[in-house]
Amino acid sequence: MPTIIAIDGPSASGKGTIARKLAAHFGFAHLDTGLLYRAVGLTVLRSGGDSSDAVLAEKAALALDPVKATSLADDADLRSDEASVAASKVAVVPAVRAALLKFQQDFCAAPPESKRGAVLDGRDIGTIIAPKAQVKIFVTASPEARADRRFKELQARSQRTTYADVLADMKERDARDATRALAPTKPAPDAVILDTTTLNAEQAFAEAVRIAEEKIAR
Ligand code: DC
């Protein structure tokens, strides 16, 4: 059985960077599951539709090529704020979540390139996708710290916005992700909480390695 590391948490908590680095550290495969929802959201937008339209969202999810979508980690359109808002809207649709479930569970059962394990990051990895994961870490940080990181990222990309707008968007998305009926963002009962509010990227990663090594050694 492959070793599974489940990394969940809200946006800009640092979970993506932690997951990628953990995968490299342990020689495991990595799956950024947010890319699946982003690709579905973007498909709906590009078809001229509204990402809150459940029928269009389900159609896009059923037609999605998940291998392709998750290979586009650096795609600017998929990483855009537009895609992230659309992702958060399609993610409330139960039929969308159902359509994306098998790909994620197959990834855990047989990680690509016959790797011994997999690191998945998202919102429902420790609760729904891989409830038996050996390591579960819920990465979080205050909304202000996350908005500050996101604002600096957008500034570096010369995107015009204000900190207040970024914080308001973040809180709106957090509320939608945390209060939806199916698979809301919440820590699994057996997850370790990693609060990165006062940690830099290196410190957060070091802490995640410590947590993971302790669980895997057991
Ligand atoms: O992690 P991210 O910012 O790329 O996620 C984008 C959106 O997708 C997020 O608002 C919620 C949704 N999502 C989800 O519902 N379940 C996942 N496992 C991953 C992402």
Side-chain angles (χ1 to χ4, degrees), residues 130-170:
K132 294 197 178 136
Q134 289 84 344
V135 182
K136 296 183 187 178
I137 305 177
F138 191 86
V139 185
T140 190
S142 70
E144 290 74 16
R146 292 187 289 115
D148 188 52
R149 289 172 195 165
R150 185 76 188 132
F151 178 57
K152 287 183 178 140
E153 223 178 277
L154 292 171
Q155 273 190 320
R157 280 198 255 138
S158 309
Q159 295 199 13
R160 290 178 62 150
T161 182
T162 64
Y163 170 78
D165 279 349
V166 174
L167 180 62
D169 272 3
M170 185 88 70

PDB file of all heavy atoms in Angstrom, residues 130-170:
ATOM      1  N   ALA A 130      -8.859  10.476   1.012  1.00  0.00           N
ATOM      2  CA  ALA A 130      -7.953   9.473   1.597  1.00  0.00           C
ATOM      3  C   ALA A 130      -8.115   9.458   3.122  1.00  0.00           C
ATOM      4  O   ALA A 130      -7.201   9.830   3.858  1.00  0.00           O
ATOM      5  CB  ALA A 130      -6.515   9.795   1.209  1.00  0.00           C
ATOM      6  N   PRO A 131      -9.285   8.994   3.606  1.00  0.00           N
ATOM      7  CA  PRO A 131      -9.503   9.025   5.066  1.00  0.00           C
ATOM      8  C   PRO A 131      -8.526   8.144   5.832  1.00  0.00           C
ATOM      9  O   PRO A 131      -8.343   8.329   7.033  1.00  0.00           O
ATOM     10  CB  PRO A 131     -10.954   8.538   5.223  1.00  0.00           C
ATOM     11  CG  PRO A 131     -11.342   7.939   3.916  1.00  0.00           C
ATOM     12  CD  PRO A 131     -10.453   8.503   2.859  1.00  0.00           C
ATOM     13  N   LYS A 132      -7.866   7.195   5.121  1.00  0.00           N
ATOM     14  CA  LYS A 132      -6.906   6.319   5.819  1.00  0.00           C
ATOM     15  C   LYS A 132      -5.462   6.781   5.634  1.00  0.00           C
ATOM     16  O   LYS A 132      -4.527   6.016   5.904  1.00  0.00           O
ATOM     17  CB  LYS A 132      -7.062   4.891   5.302  1.00  0.00           C
ATOM     18  CG  LYS A 132      -8.404   4.281   5.671  1.00  0.00           C
ATOM     19  CD  LYS A 132      -8.369   2.772   5.511  1.00  0.00           C
ATOM     20  CE  LYS A 132      -9.702   2.179   5.919  1.00  0.00           C
ATOM     21  NZ  LYS A 132     -10.158   1.152   4.982  1.00  0.00           N
ATOM     22  N   ALA A 133      -5.267   8.001   5.143  1.00  0.00           N
ATOM     23  CA  ALA A 133      -3.902   8.509   4.923  1.00  0.00           C
ATOM     24  C   ALA A 133      -3.078   8.396   6.211  1.00  0.00           C
ATOM     25  O   ALA A 133      -3.591   8.676   7.294  1.00  0.00           O
ATOM     26  CB  ALA A 133      -3.964   9.964   4.464  1.00  0.00           C
ATOM     27  N   GLN A 134      -1.820   7.975   6.055  1.00  0.00           N
ATOM     28  CA  GLN A 134      -0.956   7.811   7.241  1.00  0.00           C
ATOM     29  C   GLN A 134      -0.626   9.160   7.876  1.00  0.00           C
ATOM     30  O   GLN A 134      -0.397   9.265   9.072  1.00  0.00           O
ATOM     31  CB  GLN A 134       0.365   7.128   6.828  1.00  0.00           C
ATOM     32  CG  GLN A 134       0.230   5.663   6.466  1.00  0.00           C
ATOM     33  CD  GLN A 134      -0.210   5.433   5.032  1.00  0.00           C
ATOM     34  OE1 GLN A 134      -0.706   6.316   4.357  1.00  0.00           O
ATOM     35  NE2 GLN A 134      -0.033   4.213   4.577  1.00  0.00           N
ATOM     36  N   VAL A 135      -0.548  10.197   7.039  1.00  0.00           N
ATOM     37  CA  VAL A 135      -0.209  11.532   7.545  1.00  0.00           C
ATOM     38  C   VAL A 135      -1.293  12.505   7.085  1.00  0.00           C
ATOM     39  O   VAL A 135      -1.639  12.529   5.898  1.00  0.00           O
ATOM     40  CB  VAL A 135       1.150  12.010   6.985  1.00  0.00           C
ATOM     41  CG1 VAL A 135       1.514  13.382   7.564  1.00  0.00           C
ATOM     42  CG2 VAL A 135       2.256  10.993   7.236  1.00  0.00           C
ATOM     43  N   LYS A 136      -1.831  13.263   8.019  1.00  0.00           N
ATOM     44  CA  LYS A 136      -2.813  14.297   7.661  1.00  0.00           C
ATOM     45  C   LYS A 136      -2.381  15.603   8.314  1.00  0.00           C
ATOM     46  O   LYS A 136      -2.248  15.662   9.546  1.00  0.00           O
ATOM     47  CB  LYS A 136      -4.211  13.931   8.171  1.00  0.00           C
ATOM     48  CG  LYS A 136      -4.785  12.686   7.536  1.00  0.00           C
ATOM     49  CD  LYS A 136      -6.190  12.432   8.049  1.00  0.00           C
ATOM     50  CE  LYS A 136      -6.713  11.094   7.543  1.00  0.00           C
ATOM     51  NZ  LYS A 136      -8.052  10.802   8.049  1.00  0.00           N
ATOM     52  N   ILE A 137      -2.180  16.596   7.495  1.00  0.00           N
ATOM     53  CA  ILE A 137      -1.794  17.902   8.039  1.00  0.00           C
ATOM     54  C   ILE A 137      -2.787  18.938   7.524  1.00  0.00           C
ATOM     55  O   ILE A 137      -3.072  18.990   6.314  1.00  0.00           O
ATOM     56  CB  ILE A 137      -0.353  18.293   7.621  1.00  0.00           C
ATOM     57  CG1 ILE A 137       0.657  17.204   8.023  1.00  0.00           C
ATOM     58  CG2 ILE A 137       0.034  19.637   8.256  1.00  0.00           C
ATOM     59  CD1 ILE A 137       2.091  17.465   7.590  1.00  0.00           C
ATOM     60  N   PHE A 138      -3.342  19.721   8.426  1.00  0.00           N
ATOM     61  CA  PHE A 138      -4.242  20.809   8.045  1.00  0.00           C
ATOM     62  C   PHE A 138      -3.451  22.103   8.207  1.00  0.00           C
ATOM     63  O   PHE A 138      -3.126  22.514   9.319  1.00  0.00           O
ATOM     64  CB  PHE A 138      -5.492  20.807   8.914  1.00  0.00           C
ATOM     65  CG  PHE A 138      -6.567  21.737   8.412  1.00  0.00           C
ATOM     66  CD1 PHE A 138      -7.490  21.312   7.455  1.00  0.00           C
ATOM     67  CD2 PHE A 138      -6.650  23.038   8.869  1.00  0.00           C
ATOM     68  CE1 PHE A 138      -8.477  22.168   6.975  1.00  0.00           C
ATOM     69  CE2 PHE A 138      -7.636  23.907   8.396  1.00  0.00           C
ATOM     70  CZ  PHE A 138      -8.549  23.463   7.443  1.00  0.00           C
ATOM     71  N   VAL A 139      -3.103  22.696   7.067  1.00  0.00           N
ATOM     72  CA  VAL A 139      -2.270  23.899   7.081  1.00  0.00           C
ATOM     73  C   VAL A 139      -3.182  25.117   7.088  1.00  0.00           C
ATOM     74  O   VAL A 139      -4.066  25.243   6.232  1.00  0.00           O
ATOM     75  CB  VAL A 139      -1.361  23.947   5.828  1.00  0.00           C
ATOM     76  CG1 VAL A 139      -0.407  25.134   5.919  1.00  0.00           C
ATOM     77  CG2 VAL A 139      -0.576  22.643   5.663  1.00  0.00           C
ATOM     78  N   THR A 140      -2.970  26.005   8.034  1.00  0.00           N
ATOM     79  CA  THR A 140      -3.822  27.183   8.094  1.00  0.00           C
ATOM     80  C   THR A 140      -3.001  28.416   8.466  1.00  0.00           C
ATOM     81  O   THR A 140      -1.808  28.320   8.767  1.00  0.00           O
ATOM     82  CB  THR A 140      -4.998  26.937   9.071  1.00  0.00           C
ATOM     83  OG1 THR A 140      -5.928  28.002   8.940  1.00  0.00           O
ATOM     84  CG2 THR A 140      -4.523  26.831  10.513  1.00  0.00           C
ATOM     85  N   ALA A 141      -3.629  29.576   8.407  1.00  0.00           N
ATOM     86  CA  ALA A 141      -3.002  30.838   8.829  1.00  0.00           C
ATOM     87  C   ALA A 141      -4.145  31.833   8.935  1.00  0.00           C
ATOM     88  O   ALA A 141      -5.231  31.602   8.377  1.00  0.00           O
ATOM     89  CB  ALA A 141      -1.976  31.307   7.805  1.00  0.00           C
ATOM     90  N   SER A 142      -3.910  32.945   9.614  1.00  0.00           N
ATOM     91  CA  SER A 142      -4.993  33.928   9.770  1.00  0.00           C
ATOM     92  C   SER A 142      -5.384  34.464   8.386  1.00  0.00           C
ATOM     93  O   SER A 142      -4.545  34.501   7.474  1.00  0.00           O
ATOM     94  CB  SER A 142      -4.525  35.082  10.645  1.00  0.00           C
ATOM     95  OG  SER A 142      -3.571  35.854   9.942  1.00  0.00           O
ATOM     96  N   PRO A 143      -6.648  34.883   8.207  1.00  0.00           N
ATOM     97  CA  PRO A 143      -7.057  35.446   6.908  1.00  0.00           C
ATOM     98  C   PRO A 143      -6.173  36.636   6.517  1.00  0.00           C
ATOM     99  O   PRO A 143      -5.827  36.795   5.348  1.00  0.00           O
ATOM    100  CB  PRO A 143      -8.502  35.905   7.148  1.00  0.00           C
ATOM    101  CG  PRO A 143      -8.967  35.132   8.331  1.00  0.00           C
ATOM    102  CD  PRO A 143      -7.756  34.818   9.163  1.00  0.00           C
ATOM    103  N   GLU A 144      -5.760  37.440   7.503  1.00  0.00           N
ATOM    104  CA  GLU A 144      -4.927  38.619   7.207  1.00  0.00           C
ATOM    105  C   GLU A 144      -3.557  38.192   6.673  1.00  0.00           C
ATOM    106  O   GLU A 144      -3.059  38.773   5.705  1.00  0.00           O
ATOM    107  CB  GLU A 144      -4.754  39.490   8.461  1.00  0.00           C
ATOM    108  CG  GLU A 144      -6.031  40.211   8.897  1.00  0.00           C
ATOM    109  CD  GLU A 144      -7.080  39.305   9.554  1.00  0.00           C
ATOM    110  OE1 GLU A 144      -6.738  38.174   9.971  1.00  0.00           O
ATOM    111  OE2 GLU A 144      -8.251  39.713   9.637  1.00  0.00           O
ATOM    112  N   ALA A 145      -2.960  37.189   7.287  1.00  0.00           N
ATOM    113  CA  ALA A 145      -1.636  36.723   6.825  1.00  0.00           C
ATOM    114  C   ALA A 145      -1.748  36.128   5.427  1.00  0.00           C
ATOM    115  O   ALA A 145      -0.903  36.364   4.556  1.00  0.00           O
ATOM    116  CB  ALA A 145      -1.074  35.675   7.796  1.00  0.00           C
ATOM    117  N   ARG A 146      -2.816  35.402   5.170  1.00  0.00           N
ATOM    118  CA  ARG A 146      -2.994  34.776   3.849  1.00  0.00           C
ATOM    119  C   ARG A 146      -3.273  35.834   2.787  1.00  0.00           C
ATOM    120  O   ARG A 146      -2.753  35.765   1.673  1.00  0.00           O
ATOM    121  CB  ARG A 146      -4.117  33.727   3.920  1.00  0.00           C
ATOM    122  CG  ARG A 146      -3.708  32.532   4.770  1.00  0.00           C
ATOM    123  CD  ARG A 146      -4.708  31.406   4.739  1.00  0.00           C
ATOM    124  NE  ARG A 146      -5.934  31.682   5.442  1.00  0.00           N
ATOM    125  CZ  ARG A 146      -7.130  31.789   4.887  1.00  0.00           C
ATOM    126  NH1 ARG A 146      -7.287  31.619   3.593  1.00  0.00           N
ATOM    127  NH2 ARG A 146      -8.190  32.039   5.626  1.00  0.00           N
ATOM    128  N   ALA A 147      -4.080  36.831   3.149  1.00  0.00           N
ATOM    129  CA  ALA A 147      -4.375  37.905   2.192  1.00  0.00           C
ATOM    130  C   ALA A 147      -3.109  38.697   1.883  1.00  0.00           C
ATOM    131  O   ALA A 147      -2.867  39.090   0.736  1.00  0.00           O
ATOM    132  CB  ALA A 147      -5.453  38.824   2.742  1.00  0.00           C
ATOM    133  N   ASP A 148      -2.269  38.895   2.898  1.00  0.00           N
ATOM    134  CA  ASP A 148      -1.020  39.624   2.711  1.00  0.00           C
ATOM    135  C   ASP A 148      -0.105  38.875   1.724  1.00  0.00           C
ATOM    136  O   ASP A 148       0.466  39.473   0.805  1.00  0.00           O
ATOM    137  CB  ASP A 148      -0.339  39.781   4.076  1.00  0.00           C
ATOM    138  CG  ASP A 148       0.850  40.687   4.012  1.00  0.00           C
ATOM    139  OD1 ASP A 148       0.691  41.811   3.488  1.00  0.00           O
ATOM    140  OD2 ASP A 148       1.949  40.281   4.440  1.00  0.00           O
ATOM    141  N   ARG A 149      -0.006  37.554   1.876  1.00  0.00           N
ATOM    142  CA  ARG A 149       0.826  36.752   0.961  1.00  0.00           C
ATOM    143  C   ARG A 149       0.286  36.835  -0.461  1.00  0.00           C
ATOM    144  O   ARG A 149       1.023  37.015  -1.421  1.00  0.00           O
ATOM    145  CB  ARG A 149       0.807  35.272   1.384  1.00  0.00           C
ATOM    146  CG  ARG A 149       1.561  35.018   2.654  1.00  0.00           C
ATOM    147  CD  ARG A 149       1.327  33.565   3.098  1.00  0.00           C
ATOM    148  NE  ARG A 149       1.743  33.404   4.486  1.00  0.00           N
ATOM    149  CZ  ARG A 149       1.416  32.373   5.236  1.00  0.00           C
ATOM    150  NH1 ARG A 149       0.677  31.395   4.750  1.00  0.00           N
ATOM    151  NH2 ARG A 149       1.835  32.297   6.476  1.00  0.00           N
ATOM    152  N   ARG A 150      -1.023  36.689  -0.567  1.00  0.00           N
ATOM    153  CA  ARG A 150      -1.669  36.696  -1.881  1.00  0.00           C
ATOM    154  C   ARG A 150      -1.508  38.068  -2.554  1.00  0.00           C
ATOM    155  O   ARG A 150      -1.233  38.173  -3.740  1.00  0.00           O
ATOM    156  CB  ARG A 150      -3.155  36.349  -1.698  1.00  0.00           C
ATOM    157  CG  ARG A 150      -3.935  36.196  -2.951  1.00  0.00           C
ATOM    158  CD  ARG A 150      -3.643  34.861  -3.640  1.00  0.00           C
ATOM    159  NE  ARG A 150      -4.269  34.834  -4.948  1.00  0.00           N
ATOM    160  CZ  ARG A 150      -3.670  34.464  -6.058  1.00  0.00           C
ATOM    161  NH1 ARG A 150      -2.430  34.052  -6.052  1.00  0.00           N
ATOM    162  NH2 ARG A 150      -4.316  34.478  -7.200  1.00  0.00           N
ATOM    163  N   PHE A 151      -1.651  39.127  -1.751  1.00  0.00           N
ATOM    164  CA  PHE A 151      -1.527  40.497  -2.274  1.00  0.00           C
ATOM    165  C   PHE A 151      -0.115  40.713  -2.821  1.00  0.00           C
ATOM    166  O   PHE A 151       0.062  41.238  -3.935  1.00  0.00           O
ATOM    167  CB  PHE A 151      -1.838  41.500  -1.152  1.00  0.00           C
ATOM    168  CG  PHE A 151      -1.704  42.936  -1.559  1.00  0.00           C
ATOM    169  CD1 PHE A 151      -2.436  43.449  -2.627  1.00  0.00           C
ATOM    170  CD2 PHE A 151      -0.820  43.780  -0.891  1.00  0.00           C
ATOM    171  CE1 PHE A 151      -2.300  44.787  -3.015  1.00  0.00           C
ATOM    172  CE2 PHE A 151      -0.682  45.107  -1.266  1.00  0.00           C
ATOM    173  CZ  PHE A 151      -1.424  45.610  -2.328  1.00  0.00           C
ATOM    174  N   LYS A 152       0.896  40.255  -2.082  1.00  0.00           N
ATOM    175  CA  LYS A 152       2.286  40.430  -2.536  1.00  0.00           C
ATOM    176  C   LYS A 152       2.549  39.644  -3.814  1.00  0.00           C
ATOM    177  O   LYS A 152       3.255  40.103  -4.710  1.00  0.00           O
ATOM    178  CB  LYS A 152       3.255  40.006  -1.434  1.00  0.00           C
ATOM    179  CG  LYS A 152       3.272  41.033  -0.309  1.00  0.00           C
ATOM    180  CD  LYS A 152       4.273  40.703   0.761  1.00  0.00           C
ATOM    181  CE  LYS A 152       4.269  41.797   1.820  1.00  0.00           C
ATOM    182  NZ  LYS A 152       4.391  41.282   3.168  1.00  0.00           N
ATOM    183  N   GLU A 153       1.938  38.444  -3.890  1.00  0.00           N
ATOM    184  CA  GLU A 153       2.089  37.608  -5.089  1.00  0.00           C
ATOM    185  C   GLU A 153       1.503  38.336  -6.310  1.00  0.00           C
ATOM    186  O   GLU A 153       2.115  38.370  -7.374  1.00  0.00           O
ATOM    187  CB  GLU A 153       1.255  36.352  -4.842  1.00  0.00           C
ATOM    188  CG  GLU A 153       1.844  35.033  -5.233  1.00  0.00           C
ATOM    189  CD  GLU A 153       0.842  33.953  -4.831  1.00  0.00           C
ATOM    190  OE1 GLU A 153       0.872  33.568  -3.655  1.00  0.00           O
ATOM    191  OE2 GLU A 153       0.003  33.541  -5.669  1.00  0.00           O
ATOM    192  N   LEU A 154       0.318  38.923  -6.122  1.00  0.00           N
ATOM    193  CA  LEU A 154      -0.360  39.624  -7.223  1.00  0.00           C
ATOM    194  C   LEU A 154       0.421  40.877  -7.621  1.00  0.00           C
ATOM    195  O   LEU A 154       0.567  41.178  -8.809  1.00  0.00           O
ATOM    196  CB  LEU A 154      -1.799  39.993  -6.837  1.00  0.00           C
ATOM    197  CG  LEU A 154      -2.738  38.805  -6.666  1.00  0.00           C
ATOM    198  CD1 LEU A 154      -4.070  39.243  -6.062  1.00  0.00           C
ATOM    199  CD2 LEU A 154      -3.006  38.114  -8.008  1.00  0.00           C
ATOM    200  N   GLN A 155       0.971  41.568  -6.630  1.00  0.00           N
ATOM    201  CA  GLN A 155       1.782  42.756  -6.920  1.00  0.00           C
ATOM    202  C   GLN A 155       3.011  42.377  -7.728  1.00  0.00           C
ATOM    203  O   GLN A 155       3.371  43.054  -8.684  1.00  0.00           O
ATOM    204  CB  GLN A 155       2.228  43.403  -5.609  1.00  0.00           C
ATOM    205  CG  GLN A 155       1.236  44.391  -5.060  1.00  0.00           C
ATOM    206  CD  GLN A 155       1.835  45.176  -3.901  1.00  0.00           C
ATOM    207  OE1 GLN A 155       2.549  44.614  -3.070  1.00  0.00           O
ATOM    208  NE2 GLN A 155       1.545  46.457  -3.857  1.00  0.00           N
ATOM    209  N   ALA A 156       3.633  41.249  -7.345  1.00  0.00           N
ATOM    210  CA  ALA A 156       4.828  40.797  -8.064  1.00  0.00           C
ATOM    211  C   ALA A 156       4.497  40.485  -9.520  1.00  0.00           C
ATOM    212  O   ALA A 156       5.348  40.590 -10.401  1.00  0.00           O
ATOM    213  CB  ALA A 156       5.415  39.567  -7.376  1.00  0.00           C
ATOM    214  N   ARG A 157       3.254  40.102  -9.752  1.00  0.00           N
ATOM    215  CA  ARG A 157       2.823  39.801 -11.134  1.00  0.00           C
ATOM    216  C   ARG A 157       2.212  41.040 -11.797  1.00  0.00           C
ATOM    217  O   ARG A 157       1.537  40.939 -12.820  1.00  0.00           O
ATOM    218  CB  ARG A 157       1.800  38.662 -11.124  1.00  0.00           C
ATOM    219  CG  ARG A 157       2.461  37.310 -10.985  1.00  0.00           C
ATOM    220  CD  ARG A 157       1.513  36.208 -11.412  1.00  0.00           C
ATOM    221  NE  ARG A 157       0.980  35.475 -10.288  1.00  0.00           N
ATOM    222  CZ  ARG A 157      -0.289  35.081 -10.168  1.00  0.00           C
ATOM    223  NH1 ARG A 157      -1.168  35.377 -11.096  1.00  0.00           N
ATOM    224  NH2 ARG A 157      -0.679  34.405  -9.135  1.00  0.00           N
ATOM    225  N   SER A 158       2.393  42.190 -11.147  1.00  0.00           N
ATOM    226  CA  SER A 158       1.887  43.488 -11.640  1.00  0.00           C
ATOM    227  C   SER A 158       0.376  43.519 -11.842  1.00  0.00           C
ATOM    228  O   SER A 158      -0.122  44.238 -12.697  1.00  0.00           O
ATOM    229  CB  SER A 158       2.561  43.889 -12.955  1.00  0.00           C
ATOM    230  OG  SER A 158       3.932  43.809 -12.851  1.00  0.00           O
ATOM    231  N   GLN A 159      -0.349  42.705 -11.057  1.00  0.00           N
ATOM    232  CA  GLN A 159      -1.810  42.755 -11.163  1.00  0.00           C
ATOM    233  C   GLN A 159      -2.326  43.823 -10.209  1.00  0.00           C
ATOM    234  O   GLN A 159      -1.933  43.859  -9.043  1.00  0.00           O
ATOM    235  CB  GLN A 159      -2.409  41.391 -10.820  1.00  0.00           C
ATOM    236  CG  GLN A 159      -2.008  40.343 -11.839  1.00  0.00           C
ATOM    237  CD  GLN A 159      -2.924  39.127 -11.799  1.00  0.00           C
ATOM    238  OE1 GLN A 159      -3.981  39.139 -11.207  1.00  0.00           O
ATOM    239  NE2 GLN A 159      -2.497  38.064 -12.456  1.00  0.00           N
ATOM    240  N   ARG A 160      -3.178  44.696 -10.732  1.00  0.00           N
ATOM    241  CA  ARG A 160      -3.650  45.821  -9.908  1.00  0.00           C
ATOM    242  C   ARG A 160      -4.782  45.386  -8.996  1.00  0.00           C
ATOM    243  O   ARG A 160      -5.802  44.901  -9.449  1.00  0.00           O
ATOM    244  CB  ARG A 160      -4.132  46.942 -10.826  1.00  0.00           C
ATOM    245  CG  ARG A 160      -2.973  47.602 -11.542  1.00  0.00           C
ATOM    246  CD  ARG A 160      -3.494  48.639 -12.462  1.00  0.00           C
ATOM    247  NE  ARG A 160      -4.188  49.677 -11.689  1.00  0.00           N
ATOM    248  CZ  ARG A 160      -4.244  50.935 -12.089  1.00  0.00           C
ATOM    249  NH1 ARG A 160      -3.659  51.287 -13.191  1.00  0.00           N
ATOM    250  NH2 ARG A 160      -4.895  51.820 -11.383  1.00  0.00           N
ATOM    251  N   THR A 161      -4.551  45.541  -7.718  1.00  0.00           N
ATOM    252  CA  THR A 161      -5.576  45.217  -6.742  1.00  0.00           C
ATOM    253  C   THR A 161      -5.189  45.894  -5.428  1.00  0.00           C
ATOM    254  O   THR A 161      -4.113  46.478  -5.327  1.00  0.00           O
ATOM    255  CB  THR A 161      -5.695  43.683  -6.562  1.00  0.00           C
ATOM    256  OG1 THR A 161      -6.745  43.408  -5.642  1.00  0.00           O
ATOM    257  CG2 THR A 161      -4.414  43.048  -6.052  1.00  0.00           C
ATOM    258  N   THR A 162      -6.068  45.839  -4.433  1.00  0.00           N
ATOM    259  CA  THR A 162      -5.720  46.406  -3.129  1.00  0.00           C
ATOM    260  C   THR A 162      -5.769  45.290  -2.096  1.00  0.00           C
ATOM    261  O   THR A 162      -6.453  44.273  -2.293  1.00  0.00           O
ATOM    262  CB  THR A 162      -6.739  47.492  -2.692  1.00  0.00           C
ATOM    263  OG1 THR A 162      -8.010  46.856  -2.529  1.00  0.00           O
ATOM    264  CG2 THR A 162      -6.842  48.612  -3.721  1.00  0.00           C
ATOM    265  N   TYR A 163      -5.059  45.508  -1.004  1.00  0.00           N
ATOM    266  CA  TYR A 163      -5.048  44.517   0.073  1.00  0.00           C
ATOM    267  C   TYR A 163      -6.478  44.278   0.577  1.00  0.00           C
ATOM    268  O   TYR A 163      -6.891  43.132   0.808  1.00  0.00           O
ATOM    269  CB  TYR A 163      -4.138  44.995   1.216  1.00  0.00           C
ATOM    270  CG  TYR A 163      -4.255  44.143   2.452  1.00  0.00           C
ATOM    271  CD1 TYR A 163      -3.623  42.902   2.527  1.00  0.00           C
ATOM    272  CD2 TYR A 163      -5.022  44.565   3.539  1.00  0.00           C
ATOM    273  CE1 TYR A 163      -3.756  42.104   3.648  1.00  0.00           C
ATOM    274  CE2 TYR A 163      -5.158  43.774   4.670  1.00  0.00           C
ATOM    275  CZ  TYR A 163      -4.525  42.547   4.719  1.00  0.00           C
ATOM    276  OH  TYR A 163      -4.656  41.752   5.825  1.00  0.00           O
ATOM    277  N   ALA A 164      -7.247  45.376   0.681  1.00  0.00           N
ATOM    278  CA  ALA A 164      -8.621  45.251   1.203  1.00  0.00           C
ATOM    279  C   ALA A 164      -9.469  44.352   0.300  1.00  0.00           C
ATOM    280  O   ALA A 164     -10.245  43.515   0.786  1.00  0.00           O
ATOM    281  CB  ALA A 164      -9.258  46.630   1.327  1.00  0.00           C
ATOM    282  N   ASP A 165      -9.300  44.503  -1.025  1.00  0.00           N
ATOM    283  CA  ASP A 165     -10.061  43.666  -1.959  1.00  0.00           C
ATOM    284  C   ASP A 165      -9.645  42.201  -1.843  1.00  0.00           C
ATOM    285  O   ASP A 165     -10.485  41.290  -1.875  1.00  0.00           O
ATOM    286  CB  ASP A 165      -9.829  44.125  -3.413  1.00  0.00           C
ATOM    287  CG  ASP A 165     -10.696  45.335  -3.748  1.00  0.00           C
ATOM    288  OD1 ASP A 165     -11.596  45.649  -2.947  1.00  0.00           O
ATOM    289  OD2 ASP A 165     -10.459  45.950  -4.807  1.00  0.00           O
ATOM    290  N   VAL A 166      -8.338  41.985  -1.735  1.00  0.00           N
ATOM    291  CA  VAL A 166      -7.833  40.610  -1.641  1.00  0.00           C
ATOM    292  C   VAL A 166      -8.371  39.956  -0.362  1.00  0.00           C
ATOM    293  O   VAL A 166      -8.832  38.818  -0.383  1.00  0.00           O
ATOM    294  CB  VAL A 166      -6.279  40.574  -1.663  1.00  0.00           C
ATOM    295  CG1 VAL A 166      -5.752  39.172  -1.415  1.00  0.00           C
ATOM    296  CG2 VAL A 166      -5.760  41.093  -3.002  1.00  0.00           C
ATOM    297  N   LEU A 167      -8.353  40.702   0.740  1.00  0.00           N
ATOM    298  CA  LEU A 167      -8.842  40.159   2.022  1.00  0.00           C
ATOM    299  C   LEU A 167     -10.345  39.853   1.941  1.00  0.00           C
ATOM    300  O   LEU A 167     -10.796  38.784   2.388  1.00  0.00           O
ATOM    301  CB  LEU A 167      -8.554  41.149   3.160  1.00  0.00           C
ATOM    302  CG  LEU A 167      -9.011  40.714   4.556  1.00  0.00           C
ATOM    303  CD1 LEU A 167      -8.306  39.438   5.000  1.00  0.00           C
ATOM    304  CD2 LEU A 167      -8.759  41.811   5.598  1.00  0.00           C
ATOM    305  N   ALA A 168     -11.097  40.750   1.310  1.00  0.00           N
ATOM    306  CA  ALA A 168     -12.549  40.534   1.197  1.00  0.00           C
ATOM    307  C   ALA A 168     -12.835  39.293   0.346  1.00  0.00           C
ATOM    308  O   ALA A 168     -13.676  38.458   0.705  1.00  0.00           O
ATOM    309  CB  ALA A 168     -13.211  41.771   0.591  1.00  0.00           C
ATOM    310  N   ASP A 169     -12.112  39.150  -0.779  1.00  0.00           N
ATOM    311  CA  ASP A 169     -12.275  37.973  -1.657  1.00  0.00           C
ATOM    312  C   ASP A 169     -11.950  36.693  -0.908  1.00  0.00           C
ATOM    313  O   ASP A 169     -12.649  35.690  -1.013  1.00  0.00           O
ATOM    314  CB  ASP A 169     -11.282  38.048  -2.830  1.00  0.00           C
ATOM    315  CG  ASP A 169     -11.869  38.809  -3.998  1.00  0.00           C
ATOM    316  OD1 ASP A 169     -13.000  39.300  -3.859  1.00  0.00           O
ATOM    317  OD2 ASP A 169     -11.183  38.915  -5.032  1.00  0.00           O
ATOM    318  N   MET A 170     -10.851  36.750  -0.159  1.00  0.00           N
ATOM    319  CA  MET A 170     -10.379  35.584   0.590  1.00  0.00           C
ATOM    320  C   MET A 170     -11.437  35.143   1.597  1.00  0.00           C
ATOM    321  O   MET A 170     -11.750  33.959   1.711  1.00  0.00           O
ATOM    322  CB  MET A 170      -9.094  36.004   1.320  1.00  0.00           C
ATOM    323  CG  MET A 170      -8.381  34.928   2.051  1.00  0.00           C
ATOM    324  SD  MET A 170      -7.222  34.067   1.025  1.00  0.00           S
ATOM    325  CE  MET A 170      -5.947  35.188   0.735  1.00  0.00           C
TER     326      MET A 170
END
